[in-house]
């Protein structure tokens, strides 16, 4: 994953967006700056401040900060701490904002206004963006922005952050705010404990003056929750949703995958005919097409998985799932709050580990960081899909269920189960029994996912994947081709020349460690570049086997080759290895950064390596003796 | 009419209560402050919507127009009365 960097533009006034979680700050930020931050329907999407720039109608260049949502200025977790630090001028490399734009949820004024009063009391100039006025109107809440403005003594602008032009009033008000700008003077008497209750009384008065003190819950969400949160039906729905996703990943991806395979094979044979038989042809066909093509094939499956994760994120279902799973997580010493970071890790462990910042308890956060890499990330998908296609027959079992999809579901399940066992094990050593884990998690209003957001999310994911393919995967593939092609075979050699190359030597020297778990030297070679990115192992195998093959069979796809040359036990053992093995170096680096030291990444590396080796060994032994 | 006071974790599902006060729990650092920040403030109406099975923990409560999942120990910090 890319990381958001804070670029310093010391010129120009600085505005900061502040509000409670899930009130549309990021959507408003996107609307103002035109950048495309990820918008989802759960608290904690913005875990890091993000900066953008835009020009006001009067032509002034301003900087805007999108800050993590917070319920108050008493931070509970690291993401909320970021917001407080910025507002109090304590963030490194950032000045105190010139003006704070308090984003207020029009459907929930009572709660949102408290943070406005808290920011005002800090001594920062502020203005109010009354967001989601469309949704409030639909629920029968009509708010007069100018009356509210008079009551608060602050400028109030109605906005609809998810609509193009829904920020027009705010843009104009920003110019106005720049003209009337006062210098911020931070007050020190902000942290009086009675402040919250006093603010509450004042808001109550304002709301009853404006005839807005009715409580209007969202009836549709209430009705959906009757089913989703039902203690019996809810968990069944949760499992069914996950199960459906893995079935769909196989059945829907079939056609586009065949198309990609067909195209790469055609390209390979065209080049075979068109180019003279020299090293360049070998680099193009055996290196790049066999290697990179082998990874691109899995783009459709990755996009299908992401489509469903995005739909779940946007709809507001995820916190409900966290609620349903809280009990299960509690039994291994975690809370439901760890669920969302762990689910993000199915895409990639890196954003998952960063998302642990929303977990208030430090111990729970460290445990979640340690087990996040066991969630099956999308980089494992090509490896799983390759091995499943090669070793698991494509057939229907139990009335219409796809066996390959079932095995895929099983692998995801083993990862989850392994993570729970590790968490339970850590609970034995680190958890004090008397402690209660904080939960206090908001269940937001359900929203229909917006096609535009889904399209942007999928597009970003596809670009990211193809950039990896064109970058790290391509580089590793070419490097491997060199290692596997030179030096050439000596005169009078019997086997394919790769056996005498550098890669062959590395593979053979690693083979004795990996032989007990059933890996041959080709797999050993593929595991080394796999440390840079897991899916490189697939392209590496593609290159290794393309170079091992003789004559025209080189352009053939990898699946039939490995299913013919490896035993079933080896295939299953490699799958087991991939569930647990610590592989990508950037995950380890992120673990180090987020935990603030080497202890957590080293514990992670050691336990995952031991677990991977042990499970692969058991799998290999059992499969060899039962399946022959 | 007799006014009975009890904590939110003792509430009956589907009944509307009024928040009286919020207290600290020594095992839950700053729980009173955080509950107030979420909106558990004197005079607010609160409904217990759901209890998870088995064990009845965590619970879902509605305060104002927002829904929160709370642990029972967290809910026990909120003192309520029947309306």
């Amino acid at each position: 994953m890319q990381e958001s960097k804070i670029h310093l533009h010391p010129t120009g006034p600085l505005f900061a967006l502040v509000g409670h979680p899930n009130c549309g700050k990021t959507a408003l930020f996107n609307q103002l700056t035109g950048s495309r931050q990820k918008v989802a329907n759960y608290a904690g999407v913005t875990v890091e401040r993000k900066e953008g720039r835009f020009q006001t109608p009067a032509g002034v260049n301003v900087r805007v900060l999108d800050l993590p949502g917070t319920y108050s200025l008493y931070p509970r977790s690291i993401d909320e701490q970021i917001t407080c630090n910025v507002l109090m001028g304590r963030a490194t490399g950032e000045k105190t904002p010139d003006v704070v734009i308090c984003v207020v949820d029009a459907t929930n004024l009572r709660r949102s206004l408290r943070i406005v009063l808290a920011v005002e009391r800090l001594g920062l100039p502020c203005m109010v963006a009354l967001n989601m006025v469309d949704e409030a109107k639909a629920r029968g809440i009509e708010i007069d922005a100018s009356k509210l403005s008079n009551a608060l003594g602050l400028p109030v602008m109605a906005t609809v952050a998810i609509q193009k032009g829904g920020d027009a009033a705010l843009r104009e008000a920003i110019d106005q705010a720049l003209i009337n700008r006062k210098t911020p003077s931070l007050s020190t008497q902000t942290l009086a404990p009675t402040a919250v209750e006093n603010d509450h009384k004042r808001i109550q008065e304002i709301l009853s003056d404006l005839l807005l003190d009715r409580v209007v819950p969202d009836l549709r969400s209430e009705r959906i929750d009757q089913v989703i949160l039902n203690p019996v039906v809810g968990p069944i729905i949760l499992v069914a949703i996950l199960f459906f996703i893995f079935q769909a990943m196989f059945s829907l991806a079939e056609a586009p995958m065949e198309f990609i395979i067909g195209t790469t094979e055609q390209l390979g044979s065209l080049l075979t005919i068109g180019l003279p038989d020299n090293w360049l042809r070998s680099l193009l066909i055996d290196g790049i097409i066999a290697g990179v093509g082998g990874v691109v094939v899995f783009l459709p499956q990755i996009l299908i998985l992401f489509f469903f994760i995005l739909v779940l994120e946007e709809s507001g279902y995820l916190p409900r799932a966290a609620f349903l799973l809280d009990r299960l997580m509690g039994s291994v010493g975690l809370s439901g709050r760890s669920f969302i970071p762990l689910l993000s890790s199915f895409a990639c462990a890196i954003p998952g580990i960063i998302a642990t910042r929303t977990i208030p308890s430090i111990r729970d956060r460290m445990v979640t960081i340690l087990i996040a890499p066991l969630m099956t990330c999308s980089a494992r998908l090509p490896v799983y899909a390759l091995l499943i296609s090669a070793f698991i027959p494509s057939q229907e079992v139990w009335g219409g269920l796809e066996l390959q999809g079932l095995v895929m579901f099983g692998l995801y399940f083993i990862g989850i189960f392994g993570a729970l066992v590790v968490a339970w094990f850590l609970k034995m050593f680190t958890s004090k029994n008397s402690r209660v884990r904080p939960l206090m998690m908001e269940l937001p209003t359900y929203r229909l996912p917006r096609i535009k957001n889904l399209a942007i999310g999928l597009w970003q994911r596809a670009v990211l994947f193809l950039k990896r393919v064109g970058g790290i995967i391509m580089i590793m593939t070419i490097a491997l081709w060199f290692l596997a092609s030179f030096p050439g075979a000596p005169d009078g050699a019997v086997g394919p020349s790769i056996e005498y190359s550098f890669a062959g030597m590395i593979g053979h020297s690693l083979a004795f460690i990996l032989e007990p778990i059933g890996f041959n030297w080709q797999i050993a070679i593929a595991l080394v570049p796999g440390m840079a990115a897991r899916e490189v192992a697939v392209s590496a195998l593609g290159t290794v086997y393309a170079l091992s093959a003789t004559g025209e069979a080189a352009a053939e796809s990898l699946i039939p080759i490995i299913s013919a040359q490896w035993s079933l036990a080896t295939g299953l053992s490699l799958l087991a290895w991939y569930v647990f093995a610590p592989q990508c170096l950037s995950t380890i680096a992120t673990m180090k950064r987020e935990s603030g030291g080497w202890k957590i990444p080293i514990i992670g590396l050691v336990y995952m390596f031991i677990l991977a080796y042990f499970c692969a060994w058991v799998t290999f032994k059992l499969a060899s003796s039962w399946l022959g | 009419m007799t006014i009975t006071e009890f904590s939110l974790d003792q509430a009956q599902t589907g009944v509307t209560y009024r928040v009286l006060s919020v207290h600290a729990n020594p095992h839950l650092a700053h729980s009173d402050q955080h509950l107030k920040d979420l909106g558990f403030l004197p005079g607010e109406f609160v409904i217990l919507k759901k209890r998870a099975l088995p064990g009845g923990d965590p619970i879902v409560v509605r305060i104002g127009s927002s829904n929160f999942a709370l642990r029972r120990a967290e809910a026990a910090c909120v003192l309520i009365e029947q309306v």
Side-chain angles (χ1 to χ4, degrees):
Chain A
M1 279 302 279
Q2 305 158 312
E3 257 181 63
S4 53
K5 282 254 163 54
I6 307 292
H7 301 286
L8 285 186
H9 308 279
T11 54
L14 179 67
F15 284 71
L17 295 171
V18 175
H20 67 71
N22 206 27
C23 69
K25 288 176 299 298
T26 301
L28 196 59
F29 177 81
N30 289 351
Q31 204 58 256
L32 284 171
T33 63
S35 86
R36 288 182 176 156
Q37 299 295 339
K38 186 174 148 189
V39 181
N41 190 10
Y42 60 82
V45 181
T46 307
V47 288
E48 179 124 34
R49 59 194 164 152
K50 286 170 192 142
E51 189 190 306
R53 312 192 79 182
F54 75 99
Q55 221 177 32
T56 65
V60 186
N61 281 317
V62 295
R63 299 192 287 138
V64 198
L65 285 183
D66 181 20
L67 296 175
T70 181
Y71 291 102
S72 74
L73 300 181
Y74 302 89
R76 288 195 296 166
S77 52
I78 293 175
D79 58 324
E80 296 187 1
Q81 184 76 55
I82 292 172
T83 303
C84 295
N85 286 348
V86 169
L87 290 182
M88 295 173 187
R90 291 193 302 234
T92 40
E94 194 57 86
K95 63 173 182 175
T96 312
D98 294 300
V99 180
V100 175
I101 301 172
C102 293
V103 185
V104 157
D105 177 354
T107 65
N108 202 339
L109 269 187
R110 192 180 298 255
R111 191 177 71 185
S112 325
L113 287 180
R114 276 203 301 278
I115 191 134
V116 178
L117 298 187
V119 171
E120 199 192 5
R121 196 161 345 95
L122 265 185
L124 291 168
C126 63
M127 52 201 291
V128 177
L130 184 63
N131 198 25
M132 304 199 209
V133 279
D134 54 334
E135 213 170 291
K137 209 169 193 170
R139 279 201 226 166
I141 311 170
E142 295 270 1
I143 302 167
D144 187 331
S146 61
K147 278 187 187 158
L148 184 61
S149 170
N150 286 337
L152 287 170
L154 296 168
V156 177
M157 274 71 52
T159 57
V160 182
I162 53 168
Q163 219 170 65
K164 202 169 157 45
D167 58 339
L170 182 63
R171 281 171 183 271
E172 277 164 29
I174 285 174
D175 271 328
Q176 206 57 43
L178 285 172
I179 296 167
N180 308 334
R181 175 146 63 120
K182 286 174 283 191
T183 18
S185 56
L186 283 185
S187 139
T188 44
Q189 35 119 5
T190 47
L191 297 171
T194 52
V196 186
E197 289 180 35
N198 292 339
D199 285 352
H200 178 59
K201 285 195 193 103
R202 192 180 149 201
I203 291 162
Q204 197 74 284
E205 283 161 22
I206 292 174
L207 291 181
S208 55
D209 283 351
L210 297 177
L211 304 176
L212 288 170
D213 59 345
R214 287 176 307 135
V215 169
V216 190
D218 185 63
L219 289 175
R220 196 181 46 136
S221 283
E222 301 281 315
R223 275 198 296 273
I224 299 174
D225 273 344
Q226 282 302 322
V227 183
I228 295 288
L229 298 181
N230 182 297
V232 181
V233 184
I236 296 175
I237 294 176
L238 177 61
V239 173
I241 289 174
L242 295 177
F243 194 76
F244 170 79
I245 292 174
F246 293 112
Q247 289 289 314
M249 258 164 62
F250 275 84
S251 49
L252 296 181
E254 212 170 301
M257 285 176 79
E258 268 167 23
F259 171 78
I260 296 173
I261 292 175
T263 313
T264 44
E265 276 177 3
Q266 252 176 354
L267 204 63
S269 45
L270 272 179
L271 287 175
T272 314
I273 299 162
L275 289 174
D277 188 4
N278 58 15
W279 67 270
L280 182 68
R281 189 175 93 169
S282 170
L283 173 65
L284 284 176
I285 296 173
D286 303 330
I288 294 171
I289 292 180
V292 173
V295 178
V296 173
V297 158
F298 300 102
L299 182 62
Q301 287 184 328
I302 290 172
L303 291 185
I304 290 169
L305 175 67
F306 266 93
F307 171 78
F308 288 111
I309 290 184
L310 286 171
V311 168
L312 291 183
E313 276 183 352
E314 279 225 7
S315 64
Y317 180 72
L318 290 187
R320 270 83 180 177
F323 168 79
L324 291 171
L325 290 170
D326 183 75
R327 189 86 194 157
L328 178 68
M329 310 277 281
S331 63
V332 298
L334 289 172
S335 79
R337 281 192 163 265
S338 297
F339 171 74
I340 294 173
L342 291 177
L343 192 93
S344 306
S345 305
F346 283 115
C348 171
I350 293 167
I353 289 170
I354 295 171
T356 60
R357 292 179 189 181
T358 57
I359 300 173
S361 148
I362 292 178
R363 191 210 79 100
D364 288 9
R365 181 161 177 249
M366 291 305 140
V367 174
T368 311
I369 289 176
L370 275 174
I371 63 173
L374 294 185
M375 299 297 116
T376 302
C377 66
S378 56
R380 284 191 185 87
L381 200 55
V383 183
Y384 285 1
L386 171 76
L387 294 171
I388 288 176
S389 309
F391 293 102
I392 309 295
S394 173
Q395 64 185 51
E396 293 194 344
V397 287
W398 301 329
L401 291 176
E402 180 72 37
L403 181 63
Q404 294 185 333
L406 220 53
V407 172
M408 183 66 96
F409 185 73
L411 288 169
Y412 274 76
F413 178 80
I414 295 169
I416 297 166
F417 181 75
L420 292 178
V421 171
V422 172
W424 176 81
F425 190 74
L426 291 169
K427 176 181 148 187
M428 298 288 111
F429 290 101
T430 58
S431 187
K432 289 181 226 93
N433 289 331
S434 61
R435 229 169 45 87
V436 186
R437 293 199 164 70
L439 185 65
M440 293 194 211
M441 181 176 56
E442 182 162 13
L443 307 179
T445 307
Y446 286 104
R447 302 218 170 86
L448 222 55
R450 299 170 62 81
I451 306 279
K452 195 180 151 201
N453 286 347
L454 294 181
I456 291 172
L458 282 183
W459 173 248
Q460 285 176 337
R461 185 39 60 171
V463 168
L464 202 65
F465 178 76
L466 292 174
K467 269 190 187 156
R468 265 164 86 91
V469 168
I472 184 79
I473 296 175
M474 178 84 91
I475 291 166
M476 296 306 281
T477 306
I478 293 173
L480 190 76
W481 177 84
F482 271 105
L483 287 178
S485 303
F486 300 101
D491 292 334
V494 248
S497 64
I498 186 172
E499 296 224 23
Y500 305 93
S501 69
F502 293 122
M505 293 175 212
I506 297 170
H508 283 295
S509 64
L510 282 175
F512 83 97
I513 314 174
L514 297 172
E515 205 213 287
I517 56 176
F519 294 179
N520 54 27
W521 62 269
Q522 289 96 334
I523 299 176
I525 294 174
L527 289 181
V528 176
M531 292 297 287
R534 285 185 172 87
E535 59 271 57
V536 172
V538 171
S539 63
L541 281 173
T543 301
V544 168
Y545 277 104
L547 288 172
S548 310
T550 40
E552 296 306 305
E556 208 183 307
S557 104
L558 190 56
I559 295 168
I561 299 177
I562 63 171
S563 71
Q565 296 198 3
W566 297 359
S567 71
L568 177 58
T570 293
L572 295 178
S573 165
L574 186 56
L575 278 175
W577 170 270
Y578 252 86
V579 171
F580 297 108
Q583 284 209 319
C584 104
L585 296 174
S586 22
T587 302
I588 304 290
T590 311
M591 288 170 88
K592 193 219 155 220
R593 204 191 59 190
E594 292 294 315
S595 68
W598 279 109
K599 190 177 148 202
I600 297 290
I602 287 173
I603 295 174
L605 263 174
V606 170
Y607 98 78
M608 283 188 275
F609 184 77
I610 294 173
L611 208 57
Y613 197 89
F614 177 74
C615 291
W617 183 77
V618 169
T619 309
F620 184 65
K621 290 291 164 207
L622 288 180
S624 306
S625 55
W626 284 352
L627 306 165
Chain B
M1 197 179 94
T2 52
I3 294 172
T4 42
E5 295 180 9
F6 37 18
S7 56
L8 179 55
D9 62 320
Q10 310 288 325
Q12 280 185 301
T13 36
V15 182
T16 306
Y17 299 92
R18 189 185 291 122
V19 176
L20 287 173
S21 55
V22 180
H23 301 281
N25 173 339
H27 294 300
L28 278 161
H30 310 297
S31 52
D32 51 337
Q33 185 62 53
H34 294 318
L35 284 164
K36 284 180 194 168
D37 290 341
L38 297 187
F40 292 87
L41 288 159
E44 289 286 274
F45 294 111
V46 60
I47 301 176
L48 173 62
K49 311 268 313 169
K50 273 261 177 324
R51 289 178 189 277
L53 279 183
D57 191 19
I59 60 175
V60 177
V61 298
R62 186 165 86 209
I63 180 94
S65 53
S66 334
N67 286 304
F68 285 96
L70 295 184
R71 218 166 280 300
R72 270 177 78 163
E74 291 168 338
C77 299
V78 181
L79 204 62
I80 53 169
E81 64 174 356
Q82 215 142 19
V83 182

